[in-house]
Amino acid sequence: MRTPVSTTQELLDRRAAAIPKGPFNVAPIFVDHAEGAYVWDIDGNRYLDFCSGISTLNVGHNHPRIVEAVKAQADRLIHACWHVAMYEPYVHLAERLNDLVPIEEPCKTALFNSGAEAVENAVKIARLFTGRPAVVAFERAFHGRTLLGMSMTGKVAPYSAGFGPFAPEVYRLPYRPFFDQPGDRTDEQVAADCTRTVADLFKYQIDADSVACITMEPVLGEGGFFPAHPAAVRTLREICNEHGIVFIADEVQSGLGRCGAMFACERYGVEPDLITMAKSLAGGMPLSAVTGRAEIMDAPHVGGIGGTFGGNPVACAAAHAVLDVLQGDGFFEHAQAIGDRVMPALKRLADQYPHISSVRGLGAMCAFELTDPVTGAPNTAATNGIIRRARERGLLLMSASGNVIRLLMPLIITMEQLDEALTILADSVADELSTT
């Protein structure tokens, strides 16, 4: 391993001098290299990575097939700009995604750079298709940091505080009853509650005939890893059908194997009209996509959507390698097996510590929530303490919504590595909560 040119403290000092404080950092480390489920910092410390670049590395760090594909494509063509001169990897990737999404009708795909770009373009497409202006999103949702994405995101701090004015014609549904965990309510009661909630939105905030799209994360990501209730997703689909509203599934974090299927919406048996994807699509290279029903995707006029770097050929080559891995034998079954191993471990911790008020997840998108056992208030101090203690033991974790610890391990992790990480997690929880 090469000798680092700077110490961690030197780089922290340089970061403070050269980079604004706005871009956040989960861990005060600098990565030197990474492979599979591990990263090594410049001081030689090894960590099991349960952040995965915030779920951009479902196939792991530096997967050899991706490295090979990137190198081969870079030797041929690094960039041309799709809008200037076309190239086959973009066309082929669009064809593959059209075949992979859980939409029976013919589909088309447009490629972009980031999740926020995918969401914004999906909204633009829905508006042109319907001729309507309004967008409906959810409390606790996260759809990006650009103007429209930030306006759709359902949490003020830190995402939109002080950044107004915001994009108009954005309306919000409460995350409950749509993201309640299955429990006392029957499916019929959930459907009735969701129908009544949407009816109130259409009655008091925005007429249904003005709504272009409803955008929903099948599992809330930054909002706390709440899986949508299956009956709620079916109800929203029916409401969209009734009113001619485009149903957009934001699969930026939940898609591409994370939930035990190519897309989380497959777990609900519901077809969206458009799907947004990014993060793990290209294994760490910047690439996103909007895929959906061809008649909707064809609504924008020529030149109406696009971007200089969208569908870059090197990123497309990486995405092809990612899809090859995802479609290999047993990948989704292994992802589900990870979740099946993690959820009982988290429930055992919850049984032991009253500070853990909720355990939830879908597939390998798992999390647990920490609250004050007396007041029920979010316990961000304990959350941050567990994350720090785990890092000191060699496990990288991150929070969601301040008091939720989410587990975003690479989906190529071995069961031995997973068990090692869960042991570190349990020890870190014990050390933190036994002193709280």
Side-chain angles (χ1 to χ4, degrees):
M1 184 176 68
R2 68 177 178 83
T3 302
V5 296
S6 301
T7 66
T8 295
Q9 187 56 55
E10 288 171 341
L11 283 174
L12 286 171
D13 293 341
R14 289 167 58 188
R15 186 237 189 272
I19 299 169
K21 63 183 180 181
F24 79 102
N25 303 105
V26 171
I29 65 172
F30 292 86
V31 176
D32 178 75
H33 63 286
E35 181 179 359
Y38 292 110
V39 298
W40 286 261
D41 69 14
I42 62 171
D43 299 322
N45 300 306
R46 189 188 74 175
Y47 302 89
L48 278 163
D49 183 6
F50 270 39
C51 300
S52 298
I54 317 182
S55 199
T56 61
L57 298 160
N58 287 356
V59 300
H61 289 275
N62 284 43
H63 194 290
R65 297 183 72 162
I66 297 172
V67 173
E68 180 183 358
V70 166
K71 288 179 177 178
Q73 181 59 52
D75 283 341
R76 296 175 58 84
L77 175 68
I78 292 177
H79 188 60
C81 184
W82 170 258
H83 306 301
V84 174
M86 298 172 285
Y87 35 89
E88 192 271 348
Y90 188 123
V91 178
H92 186 201
L93 182 57
E95 291 170 337
R96 293 185 75 176
L97 294 176
N98 294 340
D99 289 339
L100 285 173
V101 294
I103 302 173
E104 289 190 6
E105 296 181 32
C107 289
K108 291 189 176 182
T109 292
L111 301 178
F112 305 99
N113 297 294
S114 67
E117 281 188 60
V119 170
E120 293 216 4
N121 279 279
V123 171
K124 289 167 63 177
I125 293 165
R127 282 173 165 167
L128 277 173
F129 177 72
T130 61
R132 304 171 179 179
V135 179
V136 174
F138 282 86
E139 290 176 350
R140 302 183 74 123
F142 182 83
H143 297 296
R145 297 174 184 269
T146 50
L147 179 60
L148 180 57
M150 176 180 63
S151 300
M152 294 171 64
T153 290
K155 185 181 179 184
V156 174
Y159 305 118
S160 61
F163 291 127
F166 307 109
E169 293 296 331
V170 174
Y171 301 86
R172 208 170 308 286
L173 286 165
Y175 84 101
R176 299 188 187 278
F178 300 89
F179 291 91
D180 281 346
Q181 296 293 285
D184 295 335
R185 295 186 303 158
T186 65
D187 284 0
E188 291 75 16
Q189 290 170 325
V190 171
D193 290 343
C194 293
T195 299
R196 183 168 51 254
T197 302
V198 177
D200 286 345
L201 177 79
F202 292 161
K203 182 176 181 179
Y204 299 114
Q205 297 190 49
I206 180 68
D207 184 77
D209 290 340
S210 295
V211 176
C213 59
I214 295 177
T215 304
M216 182 186 212
E217 296 170 274
V219 181
L220 289 174
E222 307 300 315
F225 275 41
F226 287 92
H229 194 291
V233 183
R234 294 192 295 269
T235 300
L236 275 182
R237 175 71 273 183
E238 293 168 1
I239 290 171
C240 287
N241 290 343
E242 178 184 356
H243 295 286
I245 297 170
V246 175
F247 185 24
I248 301 174
D250 183 345
E251 293 261 13
V252 169
Q253 189 164 170
S254 62
L256 301 162
R258 175 56 56 185
C259 294
M262 184 67 77
F263 298 101
C265 55
E266 295 179 64
R267 302 293 304 270
Y268 298 102
V270 172
E271 289 189 25
D273 297 307
L274 303 177
I275 296 179
T276 61
M277 62 195 90
K279 290 191 180 288
S280 278
L281 178 59
M285 298 294 290
L287 186 68
S288 65
V290 180
T291 301
R293 290 167 48 202
E295 65 169 330
I296 300 176
M297 293 294 297
D298 274 335
H301 46 273
V302 174
I305 57 175
T308 301
F309 293 102
N312 169 272
V314 178
C316 286
H320 282 295
V322 167
L323 293 181
D324 288 343
V325 175
L326 294 180
Q327 293 181 284
D329 290 340
F331 188 91
F332 302 127
E333 291 80 4
H334 183 66
Q336 184 58 51
I338 291 170
D340 291 342
R341 190 84 140 238
V342 168
M343 289 297 285
L346 297 184
K347 289 175 181 176
R348 286 193 294 272
L349 290 174
D351 290 340
Q352 188 173 357
Y353 299 101
H355 312 73
I356 299 176
S357 57
S358 177
V359 170
R360 50 187 180 258
L362 183 67
M365 195 169 178
C366 307
F368 61 100
E369 184 168 357
L370 291 127
T371 57
D372 186 292
V374 177
T375 67
N379 196 337
T380 56
T383 302
N384 294 333
I386 292 168
I387 291 171
R388 175 182 55 79
R389 292 176 188 273
R391 183 176 67 249
E392 292 170 351
R393 286 182 163 90
L395 173 64
L396 296 181
L397 298 171
M398 67 184 301
S399 64
S401 200
N403 68 315
V404 175
I405 293 180
R406 49 179 154 174
L407 307 184
L408 286 171
M409 67 292 291
L411 300 179
I412 48 77
I413 194 170
T414 67
M415 288 302 175
E416 291 75 18
Q417 291 169 334
L418 182 62
D419 288 341
E420 178 186 354
L422 291 175
T423 298
I424 294 173
L425 176 62
D427 290 343
S428 302
V429 168
D431 284 354
E432 180 64 27
L433 296 186
S434 63
T435 61
T436 301

